[in-house]
Amino acid sequence: MFELKEKLADKNIFLEKIAGYQSFLIYAPLSGAAAVLDNKTVEQFAAGKQAQELQELSKSLLEDSVSPEVPLHCETAADLGVLYIIPNFKCNFRCTYCYAASTRNTNEISLNTLISGIKAFLSTSKCHRVRICFMGGGEPLLSWEVVHDALSILAEYPDRIIEVSVITNGSIVSEVFLSDCKQYNIKCNVSFDILPDLQEQQRGNYQLVKNNILKLLSENIPVRLRATITPDAVLRLPEMVREILKAFGNKVSLILEPVTSATLIPDKAAARNFFQTYYSQFIESLTIASINNLVLQNSFLRASEDVQGRFCRKMITLLPDGQYINCPCFASPDPSFDVHSDANYIGKISGKELCVAETGKRNFSPVVDSLEQCRLCIAKWHCAGGCEHHRREYSKEVFDEICILMQRFTIMSVLQKLDTLYKASGLPGVYDVLQGEQ
């Protein structure tokens, strides 16, 4: 079987057993084509039999396939499409799972740095459509006076489509902020742990945040809620979805994202238990959400929709001091943190341009083809080596469990697409076929 997997992987075709069934999924991510194979057929292929059939199957899967050179294209700063901005490292919450809670400071981005940082990004990026997201760090709305004064510069770029969003704890919704949301079509992402006891235990201010979400919705401002799933919350995902539907209907969208914390998920056994539970609970929650037309997502499903050579790509983060790093997860208010020596460092504002340091260029390079552990993985061209934040935070043993979770979500996503395709063609659905083998 290993030799068959290697042979297929050399063509960027991947073979994986479907959990709970005897059948296998064969999948070509660079074309998006896939098929379900029964166990007997796979055994024949593995034994070197039916070589002609395997060759024809491989050829059909690779039709309309993009070249691996596309996701392996070495990007530059001109390809940047997303600017995250961390206006400060101060916060009015003390969330139990926050990596920066113990090292807050009162530093805040200046108006000049913010305007220069946005202009440098827009001058450097050649993308017609870009996104600018204000986030923490800390709580960005504690610095909204500065942000408000800077937003007017967006009018200087009438030929660009600039989508603006904010990630907030939802505790501060001023009239100025509401007015800005309407004027600049700002999308609000609210970190909210949904269930009253969990919100109070992990974040606090349940009623205040809920009321502010309702206020945003009453003003027709797009709202996406993001709950951080901890070990205390992992058995309650369906309950969370039902509570969202009860409180807000399907007027919001929802992200249920596993916590990133080596303290809460310290070893392989804890990780395996947590991520297996999370997956089963998420699938149950997805069914409830789908029935009620509620959009439910996580980073694993979003990755499965993309073909890429690097997990975090086309994005950059502006810090309060005017430095740029790649991923906002690596921003730190800790005085001992040397941003210039960090592998995540990109560069700085230089006049009207973004000056990329020589070491920062590596953050634009694809990595997936250099990682041996990705070679036979069905999620290779989706997770593209995985989240660097996860790699830094966790041991290899825990990170391996995250890889397994990504594989499961990839298989689930492909099977759902096949199921839709089969039914649209008048055939029994994929899951009907799988159930028939039981």
Side-chain angles (χ1 to χ4, degrees), residues 288-355:
I288 299 169
S290 298
I291 291 171
N292 292 279
N293 296 315
L294 173 68
V295 176
L296 173 59
Q297 270 281 3
N298 62 20
S299 61
F300 302 95
L301 280 179
R302 289 201 304 272
S304 72
E305 298 295 327
D306 200 4
V307 172
Q308 54 192 356
R310 184 185 187 93
F311 188 77
C312 286
R313 64 193 187 98
K314 297 189 176 182
M315 55 183 265
I316 197 169
T317 303
L318 177 65
L319 301 180
D321 64 358
Q323 305 289 339
Y324 290 99
I325 60 174
N326 182 18
C327 175
C329 297
F330 295 129
S332 174
D334 189 336
S336 65
F337 175 70
D338 181 6
V339 65
H340 297 92
S341 64
D342 191 83
N344 199 46
Y345 180 65
I346 295 290
K348 62 182 180 181
I349 303 166
S350 179
K352 296 182 179 180
E353 298 289 328
L354 191 170
C355 180

Side-chain angles (χ1 to χ4, degrees), residues 171-211:
S171 65
I172 306 169
V173 177
S174 67
E175 291 303 317
V176 171
F177 175 67
L178 286 173
S179 177
D180 286 339
C181 285
K182 295 174 186 177
Q183 181 176 351
Y184 298 102
N185 297 314
I186 297 174
K187 298 177 181 178
C188 289
N189 300 274
V190 182
S191 299
F192 183 51
D193 288 343
I194 301 171
L195 302 176
D197 60 311
L198 285 177
Q199 174 76 12
E200 293 297 345
Q201 173 190 330
Q202 299 178 160
R203 303 183 62 85
N205 297 285
Y206 169 80
Q207 198 59 52
L208 172 64
V209 177
K210 180 181 179 181
N211 288 343

